[in-house]
Amino acid sequence: MAETPQRLQFRLRYFIEHDSTDDFLEGADDNVFMSATGLDSSSVTIGPDRKPVVNLIRAPRIGDVSDNAIRGAWKDHPHVLIDFDLQQPGDFPRTYTVTLFFVEKDHGDLAEDFQKLQDEIGSKIEAAVQTAAASAAAEAAGAAIGSAVPGIGTLVGFTVGALVGAAWDGLVDLIREGLADDIFTPIPVILTVPDRGSIASQAGVGSQQSLRIKEHGGDYELFYDWNVVSGTVSDGVGTPTLSQGSQGEAVRKLQRLLNEHAPDLPSLAVDGDFGPVTDARVREYQRRVEITVDGVVGPQTWGMLTGGEQAEEAAAGTPTLQQGSHGPAVRKLQRLLNDHLPDLQLVVDGRFGPVTDARVREFQQRVAIAVDGIVGPQTWSHLTQ
């Protein structure tokens, strides 16, 4: 069958600090962390009460993006920050919107900062889009519950873009209160696609772009691109939003993918019935790949199951890791340790805990390098040979 655009990725390519006071790595003393939310206009669906339901993708926190161990790897292996499903049912034109969050670390709690950003700004986006889409949802009275709200493709991008500036100033000021870190005003990046077939020819797709971030006395530049991933469409099922109570072929597809991605867990029955056991497995998978744990299989979870997880690991590079680390680089490490230590299999959960630490030390001992539990250049070199 013909190659068809299946996924649209917002990828990070590099990060520069123009206001550097350090002669090395353009200002390595500034610790800048980032995250994002993503919104596909076709993922705004009709809820049970006939009101619009907004499904945001929430990217995990990454950073320090000013650390060359992280940003340096992006030149050869761009980091997939948000992954959209181009097979999502719905009409065109569509907009794909990524809202970027930046926090410069000082003395605050990064986890708290990003949680507040994603909760508060996410709620603001959801409310604005729901209001804007309400009339279209009312006009689609005959549409099925769970189907995409028609006719709102460009409206969604415009609505999120309109939140820039004064609309966000007061909210960002409230978020900053009581936080010791510097919170930057969110930045939306919007791509409008007239139809699926022409996506690769849209301005900005397949070419590196940049944006400047000037706030709190800082002057930074982020390089990014939009990347289209094509593949062969063969199952005819697609990736509809699923949750407990769903049934059918799409659930069977989900169950097969969950079994492939968590081979250390008892296999799910591939019966097409999204019951409590499948719900628990979905939540465990979401926890492992550090996405929203809600049991709902929407664009974010489908994206990770159908290529996003592997793309994240490929883009993660080989940063220094040790007990307490987490994320795609740790999953990559755990898979490599399983390959090299078939007698000592690890759970690939992205958490560098005591068991992973013990496996690292065992591997280091077997290859006769320093046994310290730290995965640096020497350990990565042996793992990737």
Side-chain angles (χ1 to χ4, degrees):
M1 299 179 67
E3 291 285 301
T4 303
Q6 291 198 1
R7 311 210 65 78
L8 174 66
Q9 300 171 333
F10 183 90
R11 307 190 305 180
L12 306 179
R13 303 299 302 263
Y14 201 58
F15 183 85
I16 291 177
E17 298 154 278
H18 290 289
D19 68 341
S20 170
T21 57
D22 191 312
D23 293 330
F24 183 57
L25 298 182
E26 298 105 17
D29 287 341
D30 292 332
N31 298 314
V32 182
F33 294 74
M34 68 177 296
S35 183
T37 61
L39 179 57
D40 170 1
S41 60
S42 68
S43 70
V44 182
T45 58
I46 298 172
D49 56 0
R50 312 301 306 179
K51 294 181 180 179
V53 175
V54 180
N55 296 301
L56 283 179
I57 301 172
R58 299 193 177 201
R61 183 183 78 237
I62 60 170
D64 168 20
V65 297
S66 62
D67 183 346
N68 206 48
I70 293 177
R71 65 181 175 183
W74 298 348
K75 291 183 176 180
D76 297 320
H77 302 286
H79 177 79
V80 179
L81 185 65
I82 297 287
D83 189 77
F84 295 103
D85 179 13
L86 292 174
Q87 304 302 309
Q88 180 84 12
D91 60 358
F92 282 85
R94 290 183 190 174
T95 50
Y96 298 92
T97 305
V98 175
T99 303
L100 299 169
F101 304 132
F102 296 89
V103 174
E104 186 170 343
K105 175 68 174 173
D106 192 359
H107 302 293
D109 185 324
L110 283 169
E112 176 186 343
D113 294 353
F114 279 100
Q115 187 66 47
K116 289 192 70 173
L117 272 170
Q118 292 205 334
D119 288 349
E120 300 294 339
I121 300 298
S123 295
K124 184 84 169 180
I125 292 173
E126 290 172 359
V129 172
Q130 284 171 334
T131 299
S135 60
E139 293 169 4
I145 301 299
S147 63
V149 177
I152 63 166
T154 55
L155 179 63
V156 168
F158 174 81
T159 300
V160 178
L163 292 171
V164 178
W168 271 347
D169 282 349
L171 182 58
V172 171
D173 288 341
L174 287 174
I175 294 172
R176 288 177 181 145
E177 288 184 7
L179 301 181
D181 294 328
D182 286 330
I183 308 295
F184 290 70
T185 300
I187 302 173
V189 182
I190 304 165
L191 180 70
T192 302
V193 178
D195 60 79
R196 185 179 288 109
S198 66
I199 186 170
S201 63
Q202 297 305 301
V205 174
S207 60
Q208 181 169 284
Q209 302 176 75
S210 68
L211 59 86
R212 292 292 279 268
I213 305 106
K214 294 184 178 182
E215 201 172 353
H216 304 301
D219 183 1
Y220 307 114
E221 188 168 11
L222 177 72
F223 294 85
Y224 68 92
D225 69 10
W226 294 94
N227 179 58
V228 175
V229 178
S230 296
T232 302
V233 179
S234 59
D235 63 14
V237 174
T239 54
T241 299
L242 304 173
S243 59
Q244 190 165 176
S246 299
Q247 294 183 324
E249 188 57 40
V251 177
R252 284 189 281 272
K253 175 180 177 179
L254 167 67
Q255 291 166 330
R256 285 191 291 268
L257 286 168
L258 288 169
N259 285 339
E260 291 172 10
H261 283 266
D264 56 295
L265 298 176
S267 292
L268 288 169
V270 182
D271 57 7
D273 184 7
F274 197 134
V277 176
T278 298
D279 178 78
R281 187 63 51 85
V282 167
R283 292 173 187 271
E284 171 61 16
Y285 177 71
Q286 291 170 330
R287 185 190 69 80
R288 290 186 178 191
V289 297
E290 297 187 307
I291 59 178
T292 303
V293 179
D294 58 6
V296 177
V297 183
Q300 188 181 33
T301 305
W302 278 119
M304 295 300 285
L305 285 166
T306 56
E309 183 179 1
Q310 291 89 339
E312 274 195 353
E313 291 174 23
T318 54
T320 299
L321 303 173
Q322 59 188 336
Q323 190 164 177
S325 299
H326 63 90
V330 176
R331 295 199 306 268
K332 179 179 181 178
L333 166 67
Q334 290 168 329
R335 293 188 203 282
L336 287 168
L337 287 169
N338 283 342
D339 290 342
H340 285 274
L341 303 173
D343 55 319
L344 297 171
Q345 291 295 287
L346 275 170
V347 173
V348 180
D349 61 0
R351 265 67 172 177
F352 196 133
V355 178
T356 299
D357 178 79
R359 294 294 187 276
V360 168
R361 292 173 187 272
E362 174 64 23
F363 175 74
Q364 290 171 330
Q365 182 176 351
R366 291 189 186 188
V367 296
I369 59 177
V371 180
D372 57 7
I374 298 174
V375 183
Q378 189 177 35
T379 303
W380 278 117
S381 177
H382 282 81
L383 284 166
T384 54
Q385 285 179 354

